[in-house]
Amino acid sequence: MIIWVFTFVLIFILYPFYIRLLYKLKAWKTLRDDATSWWKAKIFNELHKKKAWTPTMWWALILFVTMLVILWTFVLNKIWYIKYSLLNQRETYIILFAFFSMWILWLIDDYLNIKWIWKVKGLTAKMKLVWMFLFSAFIAYWFYFKLNVNYLIFWNEKVYIWFFYFIFTFFFTIVLVNAVNITDWLDGLAGGIIAMILIALWVMTFFQHWYLATTVIAIITATLIAFLWYNINPAKVFMWDSGSLAFGWLIASIIYLLGIKLWIWTIIIPLLLIILVEFFSSFLQIFSKKVFKRKLFNIAPFHHNLEYKGYKEYTIVMKLWLVQAVLTSVSMIIFFYQIMLK
């Protein structure tokens, strides 16, 4: 909790200066003009065009502060002030890898997009897809080969599924990463939902005795809540791909760390319900257009469909926040009930 407060205060103080710097550098996204982009729809031109000049690259600050705090614990450990640093192979390596690798990759994408280096508007969709598959495969590899997790737990009995565990974690990571990414694009929507999910996972890892992972989650949650202060409508800074994709990998890694247990999924599914609805509304829309040559919804994903029906952006965000709060509460009730049964 001390580290959480320290991180939050530090980054909250730095944010106004950093946002002014981003405006001075004109660090805003260049909107792509391709037919597959959702912003080609009329709804974007009417409701979101003014957001084109809101800066991105907020991750550079988050990256710096998170690294600073983690290295601080490493130094304190070396001088024998604290027993453990936050660099631990079993608990935190995969979480930090999932988070920092995506940061770095999409910081490159943001920078290319902003500066148009070599007339390139960021990384292409195919390049992103390749990296997405590679990173998801690495996470699956880490748990299957490095941590020797190759089973599911049903009613306290281990059921070994061997290589199917690798396949399952690979595809689930792909779904979750895209789900978080698709949930973005309304001011504060993804940030608020992810914050509640991370707080729930923060509590769960603590009661599962993953204390170092708990502290890393606390640091990242502190940076996210500070970001939300400036991301609520009208947003002064955006999350964009660099944030949403990194959070997708982070959440997936924490879930695998908790263990693939039957009762865990009774907690995880309601916790992730909104972002999964966002993902499958978009997936089914694309599938229907490709196969049946017609749309299921006026526009996808789900939150843009609500906009199409006339709901104000801040109304959608606040109501989905409330729904997420209820779902998070349900997940926590189930979690503590399972602990009591043990």
Side-chain angles (χ1 to χ4, degrees), residues 182-201:
I182 289 168
T183 307
D184 201 8
W185 283 98
L186 293 187
D187 294 351
L189 178 60
I193 290 174
I194 295 167
M196 285 182 260
I197 292 172
L198 285 180
I199 289 170
L201 294 174

Side-chain angles (χ1 to χ4, degrees), residues 117-133:
I117 297 177
W118 308 302
K119 297 184 178 179
V120 176
K121 299 182 184 180
L123 301 176
T124 66
K126 288 182 179 179
M127 291 172 64
K128 290 181 180 180
L129 192 62
V130 169
W131 278 107
M132 196 177 296
F133 274 82

Side-chain angles (χ1 to χ4, degrees), residues 44-106:
F44 174 75
N45 292 326
E46 293 178 351
L47 300 177
H48 294 278
K49 195 171 183 179
K50 63 184 180 218
K51 296 184 181 183
W53 313 117
T54 302
T56 178
M57 291 197 77
W58 70 289
W59 281 98
L61 179 62
I62 305 297
L63 184 67
F64 171 75
V65 171
T66 305
M67 287 178 62
L68 182 68
V69 175
I70 289 172
L71 290 175
W72 176 55
T73 66
F74 179 77
V75 171
L76 290 178
N77 171 250
K78 289 300 180 182
I79 62 175
W80 303 100
Y81 188 77
I82 59 175
K83 190 173 182 180
Y84 300 104
S85 80
L86 293 179
L87 297 173
N88 178 273
Q89 179 176 349
R90 183 164 182 81
E91 289 196 43
T92 64
Y93 274 10
I94 191 62
I95 294 177
L96 294 173
F97 170 80
F99 207 44
F100 280 87
S101 60
M102 285 301 97
W103 260 346
I104 294 167
L105 178 64
W106 263 268

